[in-house]
Amino acid sequence: NAQFALKRAKQSGRLEIYQPGEVNIVRRRFSVETELRRAIEAEQLSLAFQPLIDLQSGRLTGFEALARWQHEHRGAISPAEFIPVAEESGLIVPLGRWAAGAAATALATWDRAAGRELPLSVSVNVSAIQIARDDVGGVIEQALSASGIDGSRLTIELTESAIINDPQRAGRVLAAIKDLRARIAMDDFGTGYSNLAYLQKLPIDILKIDRTFVAPMLRDRDSLAIVRAVLSLADALGMSTTAEGVESPELAQTLAALGCATGQGYHFAKPLGQDAAFAYWMAREASATASSASA
Ligand code: C2E
Ligand code: MG
Ligand code: MG
Ligand code: MG
């Protein structure tokens, strides 16, 4: 393979020496892009739903929708691999449109199964590239009208990079999302190049504290200090908070005591398939009802 790459480079008149590993990275990336395009067209992607838990009451308040790609030969391909490829190739635009529609449709499907409008929200990740290139407000509007769910039951998760590149455009997109009554969460908060002025200027409802601060906070004083600082910042600005990476009951308890509103993590549940997510909601509601009846 390395020889092949070397020969191609010579033919083009340049002498470039590729390390064998480099060639493999380039090739894998190429095939991931081609196959991801096919997977989107053939609707071979799915969504997994990870529970969001009210840390004070223990009630389930919603799910974060996370893209999953089950490849016919290679098995599960991680979003950590295909989301960056989707962003670089522009495929995140159709992928993001699909994800918004599928998440809203899942919520409508659970409502129908329960025979009522459930007190649940669904969170959808929107990439900085979508903000820059697509009409995200229109995409959300379309997802809501196709599924019939109210905008107040949808949360859009954005990272800091979605705002930094073009703050004016981001401001218009966020205003359009708020007009639809959806909420806005700042995802992975603390890991990007934050400009705190944007927190004040933009209509952000929720800060999601990245799991790199949450997971070690019981053994690492600096992480704990950062978590506390984000909680107090959110409180001062009138925003809600979600802690990612809640992996133990001790973490859930400590975060609840510190006043964090919502928790998400393996301690509660891993991301679940659409039917498993609905079963989880019913089981959790049944036990919440039973414990409040006995209390
Ligand atoms: P994210 O939005 O920060 O999502 C949370 C990630 O943390 C998920 O990884 C979830 O499975 C993982 N996680 C949740 N709880 C725990 C825990 O207790 N411990 C640990 N170690 N991990 C936990 P996942 O599903 O692999 O997704 C990775 C990232 O890919 C997401 O990070 C998000 O940035 C991106 N992504 C996923 N789906 C989409 C999508 O539809 N659109 C866009 N634009 N990005 C997506
Ligand atoms: Mg997210
Ligand atoms: Mg996150
Ligand atoms: Mg994260």
Side-chain angles (χ1 to χ4, degrees):
N1 299 356
Q3 273 170 348
F4 177 72
L6 188 57
K7 215 161 104 192
R8 280 282 297 266
K10 272 182 186 157
Q11 279 168 358
S12 70
R14 290 172 299 148
L15 180 64
E16 288 170 30
I17 296 164
Y18 292 82
Q19 297 295 321
E22 256 179 280
V23 174
N24 287 336
I25 287 166
V26 172
R27 289 198 159 183
R28 167 112 179 147
R29 177 143 290 194
F30 176 75
S31 70
V32 167
E33 184 184 326
T34 308
E35 296 193 35
L36 180 59
R37 178 171 285 120
R38 284 199 205 114
I40 294 167
E41 281 161 8
E43 302 199 15
Q44 280 170 4
L45 301 179
S46 64
L47 289 177
F49 297 89
Q50 189 172 31
L52 300 168
I53 305 295
D54 178 326
L55 290 169
Q56 310 301 325
S57 69
R59 303 281 289 257
L60 175 68
T61 60
F63 294 96
E64 178 176 2
L66 294 157
R68 292 291 177 264
W69 181 11
Q70 185 66 35
H71 190 279
E72 47 185 340
H73 305 302
R74 289 187 191 148
I77 300 177
S78 161
E81 180 168 10
F82 71 80
I83 295 291
V85 174
E87 289 178 330
E88 282 164 32
S89 60
L91 287 171
I92 195 72
V93 167
L95 191 157
R97 288 179 174 226
W98 163 81
T105 300
L107 192 50
T109 305
W110 295 326
D111 283 356
R112 223 175 301 117
R116 66 188 168 111
E117 185 173 294
L118 296 170
L120 290 176
S121 68
V122 67
S123 301
V124 179
N125 292 284
V126 169
S127 153
I129 310 291
Q130 288 172 264
I131 299 286
R133 295 205 202 152
D134 202 6
D135 167 24
V136 172
V139 169
I140 305 303
E141 192 170 12
Q142 169 67 28
L144 293 173
S145 69
S147 62
I149 75 159
D150 192 83
S152 61
R153 301 173 73 203
L154 201 65
T155 300
I156 304 306
E157 297 196 1
L158 303 166
T159 56
E160 289 151 296
S161 59
I163 290 158
I164 299 298
N165 300 336
D166 187 347
Q168 291 200 340
R169 182 177 172 95
R172 288 194 298 273
V173 175
L174 267 55
I177 294 170
K178 292 300 291 180
D179 283 345
L180 297 166
R181 312 208 307 135
R183 283 182 305 169
I184 296 165
M186 193 51 66
D187 204 356
D188 304 336
F189 186 69
T191 62
Y193 297 91
S194 331
N195 177 338
L196 294 177
Y198 296 141
L199 290 184
Q200 204 180 18
K201 285 188 204 135
L202 296 172
I204 293 157
D205 302 290
I206 302 159
L207 294 184
K208 289 194 81 172
I209 311 171
D210 194 69
R211 82 177 136 87
T212 56
F213 307 119
V214 174
M217 64 180 261
L218 297 179
R219 50 192 154 78
D220 178 49
R221 284 171 49 197
D222 293 348
S223 297
L224 179 61
I226 291 170
V227 171
R228 283 178 181 276
V230 176
L231 292 172
S232 108
L233 178 67
D235 187 49
L237 295 173
M239 296 173 190
S240 190
T241 44
T242 299
E244 302 181 336
V246 182
E247 294 183 351
S248 69
E250 294 77 20
L251 269 175
Q253 277 156 22
T254 305
L255 286 159
L258 291 172
C260 183
T262 305
Q264 174 179 5
Y266 297 165
H267 164 58
F268 299 112
K270 292 202 167 178
L272 305 165
Q274 190 171 322
D275 295 344
F278 183 66
Y280 184 90
W281 149 259
M282 289 203 297
R284 198 146 184 125
E285 265 312 280
S287 72
T289 312
S291 62
S292 67
S294 66

